[in-house]
Amino acid sequence: MYVRHLQVGSFRNWEHVDLPLGPGPTVFVGRNGEGKTNLVEAIGYLATMGSHRVSSDAPLVRHGAEQAVVRAALRRGDRELLVEIEINPGRANRVRVNRGPLPRPRELLGMVRTVLFAPEDLALVRGDPTERRRFLDELLVTRTPRLAGVRSDYDRVLKQRNALLKTARLARGKAIETLDVWDGHLTDYGGQLLAARLHLVADLAPHMSEAYAEVAGEGAVVAGLGYSSTVPLAGTGSAVAPGAPVPSAAELTEAMRERIAERRNDELDRGMTLVGPHRDDLVIHLGPAQAKGFASHGESWSLALALKLATFALLRGEGEDPILILDDVFATLDAERRAALAAVARSAEQTLITAAVVDDVPEELRGVRVEVGGGYAVVVKDGPGVGERAVVEGRVP
Amino acid sequence: MYEGAVQDLIDELGRLPGVGPKSAQRIAFHLLSAESTDVSRLVAALTRVQQEVRFCVTCYNVAEAEQCRICRDPRRTDDVLCVVEEPKDVVAIERTREFRGRYHVLGGAISPIDGVGPDDLRVKELMTRLMNGAVTELIIATDPNLEGEATAAYLARLVSPMGLAVSRLASGLPVGGDLEYADEVTLGRAFEGRRRIDA
């Protein structure tokens, strides 16, 4: 799929942008702080209803405005898809698809598929488990939108149960009689979430090994993925072998129930839920060791890139290219990794690249540029003659 | 900000559920320009609610006497009891005219985040009512959300030693709706709770 036309209103530093885009690579080029990333961030928002840079929606709305609007016309095979999101910080977003409102904004998830690679992704290898859980869950929801509901139900039960455990610590024995009830709900949703994550890790692992070999070049050690869980049945973190069986949701629910019973006293002491997918981690392996704390800076970058390329390959394998977004990453990669990334970027149905200097971007990707600066975003295409430029469309902010 | 009394009124209105600051302001200015007899009627209604309405000693529905209208009604059966969260749920079920038993109003649902546990609800009172043996069937009609389900599961567990028939209201597809518009969870529930058609 690709974005054919993007409009944003009151989004970040942009008051209004109206931009025609096409398939193939497009480079957004301009000095830092002009708003290149904000434009691709808006497209990323259509896919995940979240930003890769901030966790709340408030910073996305232009200073002084009450709401931001992102509107995109996408091309999916020979069909047109019109998506419009009104971002209302602190309130529910409003989403329209093909001009019809969606009763639940959540239903948009999975319709627009993107894979975004940005400097922030180094945290996938070196950062907290939170980052990796978010990565897994976002991808889960993209592939199986139904899981967005399971995940939000799980979070809600978790909040209730934690509140109960906290009060139970103060008045032990009193509030605890309802704990069993919450355990039932928590393990129900938890089992489903665990099963889905395990399937995802199993599906993603072979792509990860392949992508890392591509990125790191000949003779590099093998990269793998594992799942480390607070529920022993769900994984101990060792790299998953191809074709290994995955326990069912019912089995995982049962295993989680047992584990929660075992750890009840610890949970009461600490006043929080210690067992469940919210405490788990995706483990990235490099050769025999875990990447976190072991991989060098360069290897960490390669692993982060490989993880995103693996994601791209996984989604592509399901029949449709996701939109590939490369936010300010070419400048930080060496020649070999640039080449690996450029090869995928060239083959993707649409690749959106941001860069401060166009020279940072491999030459074969530079054909179409959006020059961003001074409050304008202007599409520039290389003309038929060498060095000839044609301004296609500009937009006054 | 407005002067004293007007701002006080806006603040008080704004504390009501479902009334935001803009609506509060609109209602306040509506009251200022309304006929004084209209305003007096509103004041009288509020005063009466505060002074005369109380909770039924049996089922904790709103009542104007010791017992509510439903608990006083001799034509209703004593063997089926329907547990709801709020008095407004009683009204909703009464509109169906399907149910001829009695009610028990819990006064909310279990929600640790809001600090509501079983002791804050009228669960003990429910158990006392069930002890006397007249009730043989319990219908749990708490809301079909997380807190309502948790409350239902808790009650079901609590009363299970008493040997009552316990049921939960069915959840599933709305009547007159379209299958395609149902969300996955509702549709999933409808599948779970499907019924055999007797031909």
Side-chain angles (χ1 to χ4, degrees):
Chain A
M1 65 167 25
Y2 69 91
V3 180
R4 191 180 60 72
H5 201 105
L6 174 70
Q7 277 184 359
V8 303
S10 301
F11 187 89
R12 292 271 194 189
N13 68 331
W14 294 100
E15 188 179 326
H16 185 90
V17 178
D18 202 323
L19 209 57
L21 296 167
T26 299
V27 183
F28 292 74
V29 63
R31 283 188 323 206
N32 291 324
E34 295 284 0
K36 308 179 291 289
T37 295
N38 299 345
L39 292 174
V40 294
E41 183 182 33
I43 293 170
Y45 195 92
L46 295 173
T48 58
M49 292 218 270
S51 156
H52 68 289
R53 298 195 291 178
V54 286
S55 57
S56 82
D57 282 346
L60 303 180
V61 178
R62 191 171 193 262
H63 187 71
E66 291 211 348
Q67 55 178 213
V69 177
V70 179
R71 203 178 284 128
L74 296 110
R75 215 55 207 172
R76 198 173 179 178
D78 54 359
R79 303 177 69 93
E80 179 102 349
L81 179 68
L82 275 173
V83 179
E84 184 182 327
I85 304 189
E86 204 181 279
I87 303 169
N88 299 311
R91 286 184 297 132
N93 288 352
R94 289 227 303 236
V95 179
R96 285 149 63 94
V97 172
N98 292 335
R99 302 209 166 80
L102 290 187
R104 280 168 297 270
R106 202 166 78 190
E107 288 176 17
L108 177 67
L109 294 169
M111 276 191 209
V112 180
R113 295 181 165 201
T114 62
V115 171
L116 191 149
F117 183 52
E120 285 84 352
D121 286 330
L122 194 57
L124 285 175
V125 182
R126 303 193 134 188
D128 294 335
T130 322
E131 308 283 343
R132 289 179 288 278
R133 285 195 295 266
R134 188 174 50 213
F135 163 75
L136 281 181
D137 289 347
E138 263 176 16
L139 185 52
L140 273 186
V141 169
T142 301
R143 292 176 80 204
T144 319
R146 183 185 69 84
L147 292 169
V150 175
R151 208 185 140 202
S152 75
D153 285 342
Y154 181 82
D155 288 345
R156 217 164 132 211
V157 181
L158 187 65
K159 277 205 192 100
Q160 289 283 19
R161 193 173 183 274
N162 281 341
L164 182 63
L165 285 167
K166 227 170 246 144
T167 50
R169 191 166 54 155
L170 301 174
R172 211 158 184 159
K174 197 78 193 107
I176 203 171
E177 47 186 0
T178 57
L179 197 54
D180 286 345
V181 170
W182 297 110
D183 288 357
H185 288 292
L186 189 80
T187 52
D188 259 4
Y189 297 128
Q192 291 181 52
L193 206 52
L194 281 172
R197 282 197 190 163
L198 292 180
H199 276 290
L200 175 61
V201 172
D203 291 348
L204 196 58
H207 291 294
M208 177 70 183
S209 306
E210 206 170 300
Y212 188 77
E214 199 85 5
V215 169
E218 290 279 313
V221 285
V222 177
L225 296 176
Y227 189 75
S228 155
S229 180
T230 43
V231 180
L233 178 68
T236 53
S238 53
V240 297
V246 171
S248 72
E251 287 166 339
L252 289 161
T253 293
E254 192 45 45
M256 190 174 160
R257 204 191 306 271
E258 281 167 20
R259 189 67 185 145
I260 279 187
E262 283 166 25
R263 299 211 60 186
R264 170 149 294 186
N265 282 330
D266 298 335
E267 293 200 324
L268 286 169
D269 283 342
R270 307 237 339 240
M272 62 195 287
T273 303
L274 300 172
V275 179
H278 67 289
R279 306 270 296 183
D280 293 353
D281 198 359
L282 169 73
V283 184
I284 301 171
H285 292 270
L286 189 54
Q290 290 195 4
K292 193 182 177 188
F294 171 80
S296 71
H297 187 74
E299 284 170 332
S300 297
W301 255 114
S302 295
L303 286 165
L305 173 59
L307 194 57
K308 286 303 172 86
L309 292 179
T311 307
F312 183 84
L314 180 71
L315 293 177
R316 168 179 267 185
E318 288 175 355
E320 186 181 42
D321 270 15
I323 300 159
L324 184 60
I325 300 174
L326 305 173
D327 181 19
D328 206 11
V329 288
F330 276 108
T332 49
L333 298 174
D334 62 24
E336 196 150 17
R337 285 177 288 195
R338 276 159 81 111
L341 183 56
V344 177
R346 212 172 37 238
S347 77
E349 189 174 353
Q350 184 176 45
T351 305
L352 305 173
I353 302 160
T354 70
V357 187
V358 79
D359 293 340
D360 286 340
V361 179
E363 194 150 8
E364 67 264 37
L365 302 174
R366 292 182 204 162
V368 181
R369 295 185 300 283
V370 176
E371 294 188 348
V372 180
Y376 292 78
V378 183
V379 180
V380 175
K381 279 183 188 162
D382 285 337
V386 179
E388 190 184 334
R389 288 167 29 134
V391 175
V392 174
E393 187 165 328
R395 172 69 216 187
V396 184
Chain B
M1 291 294 274
Y2 296 94
E3 304 264 311
V6 177
Q7 187 61 42
D8 288 349
L9 178 60
I10 293 173
D11 290 347
E12 287 305 318
L13 289 169
R15 281 160 59 180
L16 300 175
V19 181
K22 292 254 168 69
S23 303
Q25 188 174 321
R26 224 174 110 211
I27 298 169
F29 280 97
H30 173 81
L31 291 173
L32 277 179
S33 61
E35 295 282 332
S36 72
T37 51
D38 288 346
V39 178
S40 305
R41 249 202 332 274
L42 178 63
V43 172
L46 288 172
T47 318
R48 261 191 73 204
V49 162
Q50 204 188 14
Q51 286 170 354
E52 292 174 24
V53 175
R54 46 192 157 156
F55 293 104
C56 169
V57 292
T58 311
C59 73
Y60 300 94
N61 191 5
V62 287
E64 289 205 353
E66 188 89 338
Q67 279 195 316
C68 73
R69 190 173 46 75
I70 295 168
C71 289
R72 284 200 314 259
D73 188 342
R75 290 166 301 175
R76 300 187 77 112
T77 56
D78 282 320
D79 52 346
V80 192
L81 189 67
C82 179
V83 180
V84 296
E85 289 181 19
E86 305 284 352
K88 60 183 163 57
D89 301 328
V90 173
V91 178
I93 295 175
E94 280 301 286
R95 273 203 304 265
T96 69
R97 298 178 188 276
E98 288 288 327
F99 180 65
R100 299 304 297 159
R102 313 265 187 201
Y103 291 93
H104 188 86
V105 181
L106 290 172
I110 296 173
S111 174
I113 292 177
D114 305 309
V116 181
D119 290 352
D120 306 297
L121 304 173
R122 294 181 187 111
V123 173
K124 239 185 265 119
E125 292 83 346
L126 172 66
M127 297 310 282
T128 316
R129 277 181 87 179
L130 295 176
M131 289 299 184
N132 75 22
V135 177
T136 56
E137 188 186 348
L138 191 68
I139 300 171
I140 304 177
T142 50
D143 288 342
N145 55 27
L146 187 63
E147 290 75 19
E149 295 291 353
T151 310
Y154 173 73
L155 290 179
R157 207 167 293 188
L158 206 60
V159 302
S160 72
M162 304 176 111
L164 302 172
V166 181
S167 54
R168 175 101 181 86
L169 282 195
S171 50
L173 299 171
V175 176
D178 286 310
L179 204 67
E180 57 176 306
Y181 289 122
D183 65 289
E184 325 77 50
V185 180
T186 306
L187 201 51
R189 288 277 196 86
F191 257 94
E192 271 170 31
R194 67 189 182 276
R195 270 194 323 203
R196 186 181 291 275
I197 299 177
D198 294 320

